[in-house]
Amino acid sequence: SISGNVSPIITGTFNTCGGNLTYYWEFTDECDRTISETQIITVNPASPAEYIDLPGDITVDCGSAANISNGLDYTNNNVQPCAITGTSYAIITGSYDACGGELTYTWSNTDECDQQIVEIATVTVNPAPEPVFINPPQDITLACGAPYTPPSPINYSNSELGICEISGSVTADVDQNGDLYTH
């Protein structure tokens, strides 16, 4: 009886993008007869990654637009050495101001195997709240011909910050006829 086990010689490599392995077995028995076997294993590339928790199109208030997360995680749900994972950061186009606007977030990632994934989301930014007068003067009653001094400038604000802020002041004046007007 001639029997036993032979360990293969393994050559080749593979990674996330695939590859080839060659298993080669060779055995020479005591009668000086040699047998051999070759097995080629083709390793396919890992499945492409996909973005996780896609944001989709959203509408936000003006004051919240600057706080939108830019990072979007991706994975192909494989284990090493075939795992493709990471975070992609969007290119943001468009603009907004206190009157609102629109932003387009474009996430794009190309892995080491030239597999590309792209996600686009539109962010509609609502206009900032309207401003209101701060501590406006109260109505008063004057006797006919009594002198009247217009109030100090009245401030207004929408209580927002940065690009969404609407604030300033308005001054009231009295014309020659006693009519109030603002500027």
Side-chain angles (χ1 to χ4, degrees):
S1 170
I2 301 173
S3 65
N5 291 317
V6 177
S7 296
I9 297 171
I10 303 170
T11 58
T13 62
F14 73 96
N15 60 23
T16 307
C17 302
N20 291 307
L21 296 174
T22 301
Y23 282 56
Y24 178 75
W25 295 267
E26 183 177 279
F27 172 73
T28 302
D29 67 14
E30 59 264 2
C31 301
D32 207 27
R33 297 173 294 193
T34 301
I35 59 172
S36 63
E37 183 67 38
T38 302
Q39 179 187 31
I40 297 174
I41 299 171
T42 301
V43 180
N44 290 327
S47 57
E50 294 180 358
Y51 285 114
I52 304 168
D53 298 327
L54 299 176
D57 297 341
I58 60 171
T59 299
V60 298
D61 291 332
C62 185
S64 300
N67 299 325
I68 297 173
S69 175
N70 184 351
L72 191 56
D73 294 333
Y74 58 87
T75 184
N76 66 349
N77 294 314
N78 289 166
V79 295
Q80 288 299 348
C82 298
I84 300 173
T85 61
T87 301
S88 182
Y89 294 92
I91 294 174
I92 304 169
T93 57
S95 64
Y96 72 97
D97 58 20
C99 298
E102 187 172 275
L103 302 171
T104 301
Y105 281 63
T106 304
W107 293 272
S108 179
N109 183 68
T110 302
D111 65 25
E112 66 258 22
C113 305
D114 289 330
Q115 300 174 113
Q116 185 178 38
I117 55 173
V118 175
E119 179 66 25
I120 298 172
T122 301
V123 177
T124 302
V125 181
N126 289 328
E130 293 182 16
V132 296
F133 285 114
I134 302 168
N135 299 321
Q138 300 298 314
D139 293 340
I140 60 172
T141 301
L142 294 175
C144 184
Y148 174 72
T149 303
S152 301
I154 302 172
N155 294 324
Y156 60 89
S157 174
N158 65 350
S159 300
E160 295 288 317
L161 299 173
I163 198 168
C164 299
E165 178 182 14
I166 301 173
S167 64
S169 64
V170 177
T171 303
D173 284 325
V174 179
D175 68 13
Q176 295 173 3
N177 299 322
D179 295 326
L180 283 173
Y181 63 95
T182 61
H183 60 93

